[in-house]
Amino acid sequence: MKLGSKHTTLLVLAVIIIVAPFFFPSSYYFRVGSLIFINGLAVTGIVILTGYAGQVSLGHAGFAGIGAYACALAPVYLGVHPGLALIIGALLSGAIAFLVGRPILRLKGYYLGVASLGFGILVAMLLTNEAQITGGPDGIRVADLGIRGLLREMGFRVKGSELWYVLTGICLLIGAWLALNLHDSPTGRALRALHGSEVAARTVGVDVARLKLQAFVISAVFASVSGSLLALQNRFITPEVAGFLHSVEMVTMAVLGGVGSVLGAIFGAAILTTLPQVLTVFAEYEYAVLGLVMMLVMIFLRDGLLPSLAKLIKGREQ
Amino acid sequence: MPELMQFLLSGLTVGAVYALVALGFTIIYNASDVVNFAQGEFVMLGGMITVFAYGAGAPLPLAAAVAILTTVFVGVALNKLAIEPARGAPVVSLIIITIGASILIRGVTQIVFDKQIHRFPAFTGDAPIPFFGATLLPQSLWVVGGALTVFVGLYLFFTKTLTGKAVLATANNRLAAQLVGINTGWVMTLSFGLSAAIGALAGVLVTPITLTSYDVGIGLALKGFAAAMLGGMGNPKGALVGGLLLGVIEAMTAGYLSSQYKDAAAFVVILAVLFAMPQGLFGAKSTERV
Amino acid sequence: MSLLQVDGLGIEFGGLKAVDNVGFKVEPGEIVSVIGPNGAGKTTLFNMISGIYLPKAGRVTLAGQDVTGMEPHLLARLGLSRTFQNLQIFQHMSVLENVVAGFHLEESGNVLSDLFALPGSRKRARTVRAKAEVLLARVGLERAAGAEAGSLSYGALKRLEIARALALSPKILLLDEPAAGCNAVETEEIDELIAEVAKSGVAILLVEHDMKLVMRISNHIVVLDHGEKIAEGDPETVSRNPDVIAAYLGTAAAQESEHA
Amino acid sequence: MKVLASTALAALMAAGPAGPALADIKIGSTLAMTGPASFLGDPEAKTLEMLVEEVNAAGGINGEMIELIQYDDGADPNKARTFAVRLIEDDEVVAIIGGSTTGTTLALMPEVDAAGIPFISLAGSISIIDPVEPYTFKTPHTDRMACQKVFEDMQKRGISKIGMISGTGGFGASMRKQCLEVASDYGIDVIADESYGPKDADMTPQLTNIKATDGIEAVLNPGFGQGPAIVTRNYSQLGIDLPLYQSHGVASQGFIDLAGNEAAEGVRLPGTALLVADILPADDPQTEIVRAYKTAFEQKYEMPVSTFGGYAHDAFRILVAAIEKAGSSDPEAIRDAIEETSGLVGTTGTYTFSADDHLGLDLSAFKMLEINNGGWTLVD
């Protein structure tokens, strides 16, 4: 079994998503599960941008913010269905990423980091300051997606958290499928090539600027959809979704789990989403322990949790 | 006219705060190519430890000295216990380590001290000094003076001393540095210690103005990072100019345009500068070597 | 009309002339070598021709088209391909995938088709994979196809780069020290490979320190020193040129020979 | 594999809710014990902990012990929402106190509403109880009331043109909006309107603009955290000689310490009885309860009591009274009993809830305070 091969990854994911609920003692676990899937989706986008193409963004929460607020505002101002608002948000994020990406992606390393950071902060600031439209820092209510009502009419009664577990789980599987498709496709190969050596990629004909932009746009759409799902599930959203800390959280999840592989990054999302829930037993020591865990993982498992563990196991077997 | 002067003084004061944080970034970056996101926590520690040492009865200079020494210890420990064992890891992993360290330091601080906001008295009183129709606080002079002193010190250190050159050499090519007899391990320890000391000194200087609490580090690190990038990472001149410029832009925007969007203006300027000069204002232009 | 024509090419770094007023021609199927002592500006010249550096003066013409300062990925479309002095391998890809990446222009299509793994994308990837296997066999790396590129020996990586460069089906191939760091057997293999490629009609521009190799396979040699062209001609002529000898043995030696 | 699975299952089950402890009443809280609003959440959490101990030591409610389950949401609305689900679904609490900030409160409201669990918020915004949601109550005054109290005082002093400088955080932004809405009711014109970010270190540019605006008679600063302290210091640095009003968001001794006695001299703000416990007239209905809470808190935690801890105190008292009255720990019965609360004296004021008033306080509960010589004095 090769880590990261497309069908294995999808199978593992699907099995976990389907089997896990049999062990859930209460519907709170469904809620945590769906948060993992939502974060996992955003992080899968990061895998495309950072893991494949080697570009670091510290502003992707900005796109999550656009997606989230599209779901809050489009139904109110455009009168569209919240589900359609998700798509509007994704298109808008893609378009903005296309416009912003071209100049930003000329920058390298930390300079790209600070430029994307600036973009994210501008989005968060707009959402905070334009209170007449966005509801300001205290947040805004989001319309009901209406699926539960629809199911009830059809005679199925499901709990909100369970429904969202299924919805977000499906979205994650689709996202993972897309990212894995991309990995072995010509585009994915070109992205990984420019990650390995930008100059060599250029000499074999890779239009580096265009490909980076494609990766940026795709990952922006992933982040946007993840933001939309969060807004629709919570039926309430605040500008924190676009904040700097959320951007850093996305990158941390991906890197901690292993940014090179979709499964690794999603694993990272799962760890960092559940950790604060588990760490509540440490009460005020929670943050100290969280920081310590992050450091220890990166010191001793530098390629990320999953790839390092896989290597370790492989080493044992041989 | 007095308004303009007031905006300028405000901008320079705040800018000097950013510059001090940005200067702290340059040393570790120069030695290891790592942007240490725990730099803001050094500033926080400098302020918080001084607050509590002072509160426990120590005279202010002693409290400040205790704070700076403790922070240096933390910085060196960070290098020895986390950065050194992770040598060879990808830069992005090293960044996550420093982010983890910053969370850890914050977490420990809130347990050891508390979660309240604190300050200690300004060094030389609070009587405003009139200046061309505007006023400024004596502590602002301390902050601006501190930033300039640290800048000159670092500039001399990197250009005039053998040790400073060793730091730069280590950044350039670790292996080559080792071959010419530079103890690169010691260079790293020195860099973290020095960086922590500058951070803590910044904390001591700015706390009477900005106040402090266990969680001020993130905000400061963010602005300091932005300032350092604006100026060009790794260059003390860039850190100083970037910091002051950022502060002045914010103050001018708040004064003349909109106080709501002053942070936005700062980042718009950063983006504009980077598009024109991808290495920041004073960053070294690198030619691709293939 | 030559395939590649370089006229008066020059560039400065910080006021220092790295290459100054260099010109020469390359015909299809011809092997042209650029030689000169370390720091003579050979790689810089390559970087300008292949679009990585923007020349300050002069002109590069490819098959009659002015391509001065054109981006490398556009040059690739026009049939210019190259390898690197310091290896530029895609480390985390398999050996085979490195070569497949060389087929980028042939296999790349619509990004959406790639995302959804539409049949078109998959078919293109399959075709190219087969071609890449053939190329790998041609450079003798078929056995290593599945290995991670980073795990290969230096000599093997040099050949891998050549295979990747050939994937473009170039009209002209720039090879920057293909035999550096290779042992005698490996050098000979590369020697054969170059001759074979040239025979198929591809023009070759070569930078190489191994003089035996250069003298053996070149049709034409251009000699650089301190960024300037000091001599040009067939191997025989160039090897007897006193300026070339002086450049290689140092000015002191040249002066000595003058006095003698 | 089978063994592994069943072990995992057992472990998961063990980690789940403990067996039903029928004798206990489980109360949940999610507060910003850390993060940007920790100066709210920290005293709130400590207060709840202290009061639960007190009540249990005195024999509990109707003989049943209270179990308090506290989570730290760090003022993150998404976390607060998750903890609300955890409290309701996993811990199976009968009521929730919490939401230190308006953002966290609004985020978890859909959850308590769907589950039918009574919830008492400790956050300021009027949007929490207007419109009234059946299961949500709150104890702090609304920001709108704070504006009204301040404007009332300005009116008395004959002030009609003011400048405002507000924090852009949730508290400041929400109060700014409310103040702008009610200003005209008091004949007050806001002729300068500036703001500052929550982490800003210097507000002299904004204050310089306010100072330069012709005709300004007073300045109001809605905001909390370190911002108002810096505003107050800059205000005195610039030598602005107009009355400065702060909000109830900084009603604590800490504010005076941060701003400095000199700069804070003469600053007015709407506060609660808690701040002036020592100078409260003995016959004031709040005197007893306020002094008791203050003494207990300061003894236990060795830190000065704050208005915010007082909000938690009141919420807990209201909840306990409701459970006692309902005589059951059925969430529905508790909710109904809370809504029937009448004349309950707390540190913030005297609460009387009704079906269309889930705050139950009026303006009289606010006291206009002025800082003199580093201490609080009553204006009226």
Side-chain angles (χ1 to χ4, degrees):
Chain A
M1 181 179 112
K2 195 178 145 219
L3 183 74
S5 93
K6 181 165 139 188
H7 296 106
T8 325
T9 304
L10 286 176
L11 193 72
V12 169
L13 267 182
V15 167
I16 292 174
I17 292 175
I18 294 165
V19 172
F22 291 104
F23 299 93
F24 287 171
S26 82
S27 63
Y28 151 69
Y29 291 79
F30 285 95
R31 157 94 188 165
V32 176
S34 63
L35 288 179
I36 292 174
F37 301 156
I38 288 173
N39 284 329
L41 188 64
V43 162
T44 304
I46 298 293
V47 167
I48 295 173
L49 182 69
T50 308
Y52 296 179
Q55 309 299 307
V56 177
S57 166
L58 295 179
H60 256 54
F63 297 113
I66 292 170
Y69 275 82
C71 286
L73 300 178
V76 177
Y77 289 92
L78 304 177
V80 301
H81 186 269
L84 186 62
L86 177 144
I87 293 170
I88 293 176
L91 292 176
L92 187 66
S93 290
I96 292 176
F98 185 79
L99 291 177
V100 176
R102 206 159 257 281
I104 279 187
L105 290 163
R106 282 175 46 222
L107 303 170
K108 292 191 196 315
Y110 291 117
Y111 291 94
L112 173 60
V114 79
S116 53
L117 170 85
F119 163 75
I121 285 181
L122 291 181
V123 173
M125 204 168 285
L126 272 176
L127 295 178
T128 309
N129 287 340
E130 296 308 313
Q132 299 90 330
I133 300 168
T134 63
D138 282 337
I140 189 167
R141 280 165 218 227
V142 179
D144 188 4
L145 193 53
I147 292 187
R148 250 178 103 196
L150 205 69
L151 287 174
R152 204 174 298 141
E153 270 171 35
M154 289 159 60
F156 299 102
R157 294 191 81 82
V158 281
K159 277 202 156 178
S161 46
E162 289 162 13
L163 172 71
W164 277 101
Y165 180 88
V166 175
L167 282 181
T168 53
I170 293 171
C171 288
L172 178 64
L173 279 176
I174 296 174
W177 176 68
L178 292 173
L180 291 163
N181 282 344
L182 197 66
H183 184 272
D184 291 322
S185 75
T187 304
R189 192 157 20 250
L191 288 174
R192 286 179 289 127
L194 75 87
H195 185 186
S197 164
E198 198 166 316
V199 63
R202 289 162 78 195
T203 56
V204 297
V206 176
D207 184 346
V208 166
R210 187 162 144 255
L211 272 139
K212 281 184 186 172
L213 191 59
Q214 286 175 351
F216 193 69
V217 170
I218 294 170
S219 64
V221 170
F222 273 70
S224 176
V225 173
S226 127
S228 291
L229 290 173
L230 185 69
L232 289 170
Q233 180 182 10
N234 283 353
R235 297 198 47 203
F236 178 79
I237 200 75
T238 62
E240 263 109 346
V241 69
F244 167 66
L245 291 180
H246 190 203
S247 289
V248 170
E249 194 179 41
M250 282 186 201
V251 176
T252 306
M253 284 174 175
V255 174
L256 204 69
V259 72
S261 81
V262 172
L263 203 57
I266 294 174
F267 187 58
I271 295 287
L272 274 194
T273 310
T274 33
L275 213 51
Q277 296 292 326
V278 177
L279 293 183
T280 52
V281 300
F282 290 101
E284 57 177 349
Y285 294 90
E286 178 187 335
Y287 285 90
V289 176
L290 178 67
L292 205 59
V293 169
M294 282 170 65
M295 292 174 75
L296 290 177
V297 169
M298 283 290 103
I299 293 170
F300 296 108
L301 306 169
R302 54 185 58 175
D303 293 327
L305 273 170
L306 210 57
S308 300
L309 289 179
K311 229 180 253 176
L312 222 63
I313 292 166
K314 227 187 231 170
R316 284 267 162 78
E317 278 171 0
Q318 277 162 8
Chain B
M1 216 34 211
E3 279 93 13
L4 175 66
M5 183 49 75
Q6 190 64 54
F7 299 156
L8 201 62
L9 290 180
S10 162
L12 288 176
T13 305
V14 175
V17 177
Y18 298 160
L20 273 167
V21 183
L23 284 166
F25 275 114
T26 55
I27 306 164
I28 290 178
Y29 180 80
N30 273 347
S32 64
D33 271 351
V34 170
V35 168
N36 170 29
F37 280 96
Q39 187 66 32
E41 308 313 320
F42 294 158
V43 182
M44 180 275 290
L45 283 178
M48 284 295 273
I49 298 173
T50 309
V51 164
F52 278 83
Y54 179 70
L60 200 51
L62 179 66
V66 169
I68 294 174
L69 285 177
T70 315
T71 311
V72 167
F73 176 77
V74 172
V76 171
L78 172 63
N79 176 46
K80 286 278 172 211
L81 301 178
I83 304 294
E84 229 168 64
R87 167 137 333 129
V91 169
V92 62
S93 303
L94 291 174
I95 292 172
I96 303 289
I97 290 177
T98 66
I99 292 177
S102 111
I103 297 176
L104 173 65
I105 294 172
R106 219 178 305 146
V108 171
T109 308
Q110 78 181 22
I111 300 165
V112 174
F113 299 127
D114 64 12
K115 299 171 210 163
Q116 304 299 314
I117 305 164
H118 299 278
R119 72 181 282 266
F120 47 80
F123 301 171
T124 44
D126 282 330
I129 306 166
F131 190 81
F132 289 105
T135 58
L136 94 163
L137 293 175
Q139 191 67 25
S140 297
L141 293 176
W142 280 97
V143 175
V144 174
L148 289 175
T149 310
V150 169
F151 162 71
V152 171
L154 279 187
Y155 187 78
L156 294 177
F157 175 70
F158 280 129
T159 54
K160 299 279 187 271
T161 70
L162 212 56
T163 322
K165 288 176 184 167
V167 172
L168 289 181
T170 307
N172 241 325
N173 187 332
R174 176 171 217 98
L175 193 66
Q178 276 167 350
L179 287 177
V180 298
I182 294 171
N183 182 343
T184 53
W186 185 77
V187 163
M188 287 291 285
T189 304
L190 177 82
S191 305
F192 271 85
L194 200 58
S195 205
I198 292 175
L201 176 69
V204 172
L205 291 174
V206 307
T207 298
I209 295 182
T210 63
L211 317 185
T212 194
S213 66
Y214 78 99
D215 64 348
V216 296
I218 326 163
L220 287 170
L222 197 64
K223 285 289 173 65
F225 173 58
M229 302 306 291
L230 175 63
M233 196 48 140
N235 186 335
K237 206 189 328 176
L240 183 75
V241 175
L244 293 176
L245 196 60
L246 203 59
V248 171
I249 293 167
E250 285 184 8
M252 291 298 162
T253 313
Y256 289 118
L257 295 172
S258 146
S259 42
Q260 270 190 327
Y261 282 103
K262 69 179 171 47
D263 288 357
F267 275 103
V268 167
V269 171
I270 290 176
L271 289 175
V273 167
L274 289 183
F275 295 155
M277 308 162 95
Q279 308 287 326
L281 291 170
F282 298 99
K285 285 199 178 52
S286 68
T287 314
E288 233 168 328
R289 287 194 50 182
V290 289
Chain C
M1 188 182 70
S2 308
L3 179 60
L4 177 75
Q5 187 170 339
V6 178
D7 295 303
L9 214 54
I11 194 169
E12 289 178 9
F13 294 121
L16 207 73
K17 283 181 180 168
V19 172
D20 188 26
N21 195 24
V22 171
F24 57 88
K25 288 176 187 172
V26 185
E27 307 297 334
E30 195 183 29
I31 301 177
V32 175
S33 294
V34 179
I35 63 167
N38 279 326
K42 304 181 297 282
T43 296
T44 306
L45 178 69
F46 260 39
N47 284 344
M48 282 191 286
I49 295 173
S50 60
I52 291 163
Y53 293 167
L54 188 66
K56 204 179 169 211
R59 228 159 70 103
V60 181
T61 318
L62 186 62
Q65 186 183 349
D66 185 351
V67 297
T68 319
M70 188 184 268
E71 291 252 8
H73 70 271
L74 297 175
L75 285 168
R77 287 173 189 273
L78 297 176
L80 184 143
S81 173
R82 69 169 289 183
T83 66
F84 297 87
Q85 179 186 358
N86 305 320
L87 287 167
Q88 296 287 334
I89 288 289
F90 307 135
Q91 296 280 349
H92 295 290
M93 288 186 187
S94 72
V95 169
L96 180 65
E97 236 193 334
N98 261 276
V99 182
V100 174
F103 285 99
H104 175 73
L105 289 175
E106 191 175 333
E107 72 161 348
S108 78
N110 186 323
V111 61
L112 287 179
S113 152
D114 285 359
L115 260 180
F116 292 95
L118 297 185
S121 283
R122 276 154 53 194
K123 196 177 155 206
R124 267 180 283 125
R126 262 201 311 276
T127 325
V128 156
R129 194 187 159 89
K131 288 189 184 177
E133 276 165 356
V134 173
L135 264 184
L136 262 191
R138 193 163 163 199
V139 299
L141 287 174
E142 66 273 29
R143 285 209 184 151
E148 187 160 289
S151 66
L152 256 55
S153 74
Y154 191 78
L157 288 177
K158 282 278 178 192
R159 278 181 286 150
L160 177 59
E161 264 205 351
I162 295 176
R164 186 180 69 193
L166 285 173
L168 266 90
S169 316
K171 290 193 195 114
I172 179 162
L173 179 61
L174 278 61
L175 298 173
D176 198 347
E177 301 197 15
C182 295
N183 61 33
V185 182
E186 287 172 335
T187 306
E188 202 163 312
E189 283 169 8
I190 286 175
D191 182 347
E192 280 166 23
L193 185 63
I194 294 172
E196 189 189 313
V197 171
K199 210 184 272 171
S200 69
V202 178
I204 295 197
L205 187 61
L206 179 73
V207 165
E208 184 51 65
H209 275 296
D210 187 330
M211 278 309 142
K212 272 192 254 164
L213 176 78
V214 170
M215 293 301 161
R216 196 162 60 226
I217 67 173
S218 305
N219 303 108
H220 191 86
I221 295 177
V222 175
V223 190
L224 294 188
D225 189 27
H226 297 298
E228 289 175 47
K229 185 172 81 175
I230 55 168
E232 187 175 13
D234 58 47
E236 194 74 359
T237 328
V238 164
S239 64
R240 270 180 286 154
N241 185 315
D243 288 342
V244 177
I245 297 167
Y248 268 90
L249 301 178
T251 346
Q255 275 162 356
E256 247 169 59
S257 64
E258 248 169 55
H259 287 290
Chain D
M1 191 61 205
K2 217 174 191 175
V3 181
L4 193 72
S6 56
T7 321
L9 184 64
L12 270 172
M13 292 313 244
L22 288 170
D24 283 342
I25 300 171
K26 282 192 184 178
I27 296 175
S29 90
T30 168
L31 297 166
M33 288 146 82
T34 56
S38 56
F39 59 94
L40 301 176
D42 190 40
E44 288 164 357
K46 289 192 163 101
T47 300
L48 289 183
E49 199 181 306
M50 177 182 89
L51 292 179
V52 167
E53 275 173 32
E54 240 172 56
V55 168
N56 283 346
I61 309 174
N62 304 336
E64 291 183 77
M65 292 296 133
I66 301 175
E67 189 191 338
L68 176 69
I69 300 164
Q70 296 222 60
Y71 293 122
D72 170 19
D73 59 42
D76 175 349
N78 189 40
K79 255 187 168 177
R81 173 68 173 265
T82 306
F83 282 130
V85 178
R86 185 167 180 178
L87 287 169
I88 295 167
E89 301 286 349
D90 209 47
D91 302 321
E92 297 178 337
V93 299
V94 298
I96 297 176
I97 293 175
S100 301
T101 65
T102 301
T104 51
T105 296
L106 294 178
L108 63 83
M109 276 170 61
E111 208 61 55
V112 293
D113 203 42
I117 297 288
F119 163 57
I120 306 179
S121 163
L122 309 181
S125 173
I126 192 168
S127 58
I128 296 166
I129 45 125
D130 182 21
V132 170
E133 300 284 343
Y135 292 92
T136 303
F137 301 83
K138 80 182 205 90
T139 53
H141 292 98
T142 64
D143 33 23
R144 194 184 195 96
M145 293 165 84
C147 298
Q148 288 167 333
K149 186 73 185 175
V150 167
F151 291 155
E152 223 176 68
D153 191 61
M154 287 179 175
Q155 219 175 12
K156 274 187 216 156
R157 291 166 105 178
I159 292 166
S160 64
K161 288 191 170 64
I162 66 159
M164 267 172 58
I165 174 164
S166 324
T168 53
F171 182 91
S174 171
M175 180 164 167
R176 169 180 168 271
K177 186 169 160 245
Q178 298 300 330
C179 285
L180 290 174
E181 274 178 31
V182 299
S184 58
D185 299 351
Y186 295 84
I188 282 170
D189 230 356
V190 180
I191 56 174
D193 183 15
E194 298 279 339
S195 68
Y196 58 85
K199 293 277 171 201
D200 283 3
D202 187 278
M203 285 63 151
T204 52
Q206 293 94 317
L207 288 171
T208 302
N209 279 342
I210 291 181
K211 188 184 177 188
T213 310
D214 282 334
I216 281 193
E217 295 161 321
V219 177
L220 169 61
N221 175 204
F224 67 19
Q226 74 265 49
I230 296 175
V231 166
T232 307
R233 292 173 58 76
N234 290 160
Y235 202 79
S236 120
Q237 176 198 338
L238 293 174
I240 303 178
D241 206 15
L242 301 169
L244 175 62
Y245 285 82
Q246 289 289 349
S247 71
H248 56 311
V250 294
S252 68
Q253 185 61 37
F255 168 72
I256 303 179
D257 296 342
L258 290 175
N261 292 355
E262 221 167 295
E265 183 69 22
V267 169
R268 287 191 179 187
L269 57 80
T272 66
L274 197 52
L275 282 182
V276 284
D278 303 330
I279 56 168
L280 222 49
D283 60 344
D284 191 294
Q286 284 181 277
T287 305
E288 192 189 340
I289 195 138
V290 162
R291 286 189 185 162
Y293 167 56
K294 183 178 160 77
T295 316
F297 187 91
E298 291 180 353
Q299 237 166 31
K300 185 169 164 75
Y301 295 110
E302 290 174 350
M303 59 188 272
V305 75
S306 82
T307 313
F308 323 120
Y311 298 152
H313 169 275
D314 295 355
F316 186 75
R317 291 283 179 226
I318 291 168
L319 185 59
V320 168
I323 298 174
E324 272 170 359
K325 189 167 166 214
S328 112
S329 53
D330 170 50
E332 206 61 40
I334 297 174
R335 190 215 80 91
D336 294 344
I338 295 177
E339 203 167 71
E340 284 158 20
T341 301
S342 174
L344 187 139
V345 180
T347 63
T348 314
T350 304
Y351 294 89
T352 302
F353 290 114
S354 71
D356 47 39
D357 182 5
H358 276 194
L359 167 60
L361 291 173
D362 57 28
L363 266 191
S364 71
F366 255 143
K367 301 191 185 311
M368 184 50 69
L369 308 178
E370 187 174 296
I371 298 169
N372 286 125
N373 299 321
W376 303 98
T377 52
L378 277 164
V379 173
D380 30 40

Coordinates of all heavy atoms in Angstrom, one line a residue, chain A residues 69-70 72-74 76-77 126-137 139-141 237, chain B residues 261, chain D residues 177:
Chain A
Y69 N -19.1 34.9 4.1 CA -20.0 36.0 4.0 C -20.9 36.0 2.7 O -21.9 36.7 2.7 CB -19.2 37.3 4.2 CG -19.0 37.6 5.6 CD1 -18.0 37.0 6.4 CD2 -19.9 38.5 6.3 CE1 -17.9 37.3 7.7 CE2 -19.7 38.8 7.7 CZ -18.7 38.1 8.4 OH -18.6 38.4 9.7
A70 N -20.4 35.3 1.7 CA -21.3 35.2 0.5 C -22.6 34.5 1.0 O -23.7 34.8 0.6 CB -20.6 34.4 -0.6
A72 N -23.8 34.5 3.9 CA -24.6 35.3 4.8 C -25.3 36.4 4.1 O -26.5 36.7 4.4 CB -23.7 35.9 5.9
L73 N -24.6 37.0 3.1 CA -25.1 38.2 2.5 C -25.9 38.0 1.2 O -26.9 38.7 0.9 CB -24.0 39.2 2.2 CG -23.2 39.6 3.4 CD1 -22.0 40.5 3.1 CD2 -24.1 40.3 4.5
A74 N -25.5 37.0 0.4 CA -26.2 36.9 -0.9 C -27.7 36.5 -0.8 O -28.5 37.1 -1.5 CB -25.5 35.8 -1.8
V76 N -29.6 37.6 1.5 CA -30.3 38.8 1.9 C -30.4 39.9 0.8 O -31.4 40.4 0.5 CB -29.6 39.4 3.1 CG1 -30.2 40.7 3.6 CG2 -29.5 38.4 4.3
Y77 N -29.2 40.1 0.1 CA -29.1 41.2 -0.8 C -29.5 40.8 -2.2 O -30.0 41.6 -3.0 CB -27.7 41.8 -0.8 CG -27.5 42.6 0.4 CD1 -26.9 42.0 1.5 CD2 -27.9 43.9 0.5 CE1 -26.6 42.7 2.7 CE2 -27.6 44.6 1.7 CZ -27.0 44.0 2.8 OH -26.8 44.7 3.9
L126 N -12.3 44.7 6.0 CA -13.6 45.1 5.4 C -14.8 44.5 6.1 O -15.8 45.1 6.3 CB -13.6 44.6 3.9 CG -13.0 45.5 2.9 CD1 -12.9 44.8 1.5 CD2 -13.8 46.8 2.8
L127 N -14.7 43.2 6.4 CA -15.8 42.5 7.1 C -16.1 43.1 8.4 O -17.2 43.2 8.9 CB -15.5 41.0 7.2 CG -15.3 40.2 5.9 CD1 -15.0 38.8 6.2 CD2 -16.6 40.3 5.1
T128 N -15.0 43.5 9.1 CA -15.2 44.1 10.5 C -15.8 45.5 10.4 O -16.6 45.9 11.2 CB -13.8 44.2 11.2 OG1 -13.2 42.9 11.1 CG2 -14.0 44.6 12.6
N129 N -15.2 46.3 9.5 CA -15.6 47.7 9.5 C -16.9 48.1 8.7 O -17.5 49.1 9.1 CB -14.4 48.5 8.9 CG -13.2 48.6 9.8 OD1 -13.4 48.4 11.0 ND2 -12.1 48.9 9.3
E130 N -17.2 47.3 7.7 CA -18.4 47.7 7.0 C -19.6 47.1 7.6 O -20.4 46.3 7.1 CB -18.3 47.2 5.5 CG -17.2 47.9 4.7 CD -17.3 49.4 4.8 OE1 -18.4 50.0 4.6 OE2 -16.2 50.1 5.1
A131 N -19.8 47.5 8.9 CA -20.8 46.9 9.7 C -22.3 47.0 9.2 O -23.1 46.1 9.4 CB -20.8 47.5 11.1
Q132 N -22.6 48.1 8.5 CA -23.9 48.2 8.0 C -24.3 47.0 7.1 O -25.4 46.6 7.0 CB -24.1 49.5 7.1 CG -23.9 50.8 7.9 CD -22.4 51.2 7.8 OE1 -21.5 50.3 7.6 NE2 -22.1 52.4 7.8
I133 N -23.3 46.5 6.4 CA -23.6 45.4 5.4 C -23.3 44.1 6.1 O -24.0 43.1 6.0 CB -22.7 45.5 4.2 CG1 -23.1 46.9 3.5 CG2 -22.9 44.4 3.2 CD1 -22.1 47.3 2.4
T134 N -22.1 44.0 6.8 CA -21.6 42.7 7.2 C -22.0 42.3 8.7 O -21.8 41.3 9.1 CB -20.1 42.6 7.2 OG1 -19.6 43.6 8.1 CG2 -19.6 42.9 5.8
G135 N -22.6 43.3 9.4 CA -22.9 43.1 10.8 C -21.8 43.3 11.7 O -21.9 43.3 12.9
G136 N -20.6 43.7 11.1 CA -19.5 44.1 12.0 C -18.9 42.9 12.8 O -19.1 41.8 12.5
P137 N -18.1 43.3 13.8 CA -17.3 42.3 14.5 C -18.2 41.3 15.3 O -17.7 40.2 15.6 CB -16.5 43.2 15.5 CG -17.1 44.5 15.5 CD -17.7 44.7 14.2
G139 N -20.6 39.8 14.2 CA -21.1 38.7 13.3 C -22.5 38.9 12.7 O -23.1 39.9 13.0
I140 N -22.9 37.9 12.0 CA -24.1 38.1 11.2 C -24.8 36.7 11.1 O -24.1 35.7 11.1 CB -23.9 38.7 9.8 CG1 -25.2 39.0 9.2 CG2 -23.1 37.8 9.0 CD1 -25.1 39.9 7.9
R141 N -26.1 36.7 11.2 CA -26.8 35.4 11.0 C -26.8 34.9 9.6 O -26.8 35.7 8.6 CB -28.2 35.5 11.5 CG -28.3 35.5 13.0 CD -29.6 35.9 13.5 NE -29.3 36.7 14.8 CZ -30.0 36.5 15.9 NH1 -31.0 35.7 16.0 NH2 -29.7 37.2 17.0
I237 N -21.9 33.8 11.5 CA -20.5 33.9 11.2 C -19.9 35.2 11.7 O -20.7 36.2 11.7 CB -20.3 33.7 9.6 CG1 -18.8 33.3 9.3 CG2 -20.7 34.9 8.8 CD1 -18.5 31.9 9.7
Chain B
Y261 N -9.5 52.5 8.7 CA -8.7 51.8 7.7 C -7.2 52.0 7.7 O -6.5 51.9 6.7 CB -9.3 52.1 6.3 CG -10.6 51.3 6.0 CD1 -11.8 51.9 6.1 CD2 -10.5 49.9 5.8 CE1 -13.0 51.1 6.0 CE2 -11.7 49.2 5.6 CZ -12.9 49.8 5.7 OH -14.0 49.1 5.5
Chain D
K177 N -22.6 52.1 17.5 CA -23.9 52.1 16.7 C -25.1 52.5 17.5 O -25.9 53.3 17.1 CB -24.0 50.7 16.1 CG -25.2 50.5 15.1 CD -25.1 49.2 14.4 CE -26.4 48.8 13.8 NZ -27.0 47.6 14.5

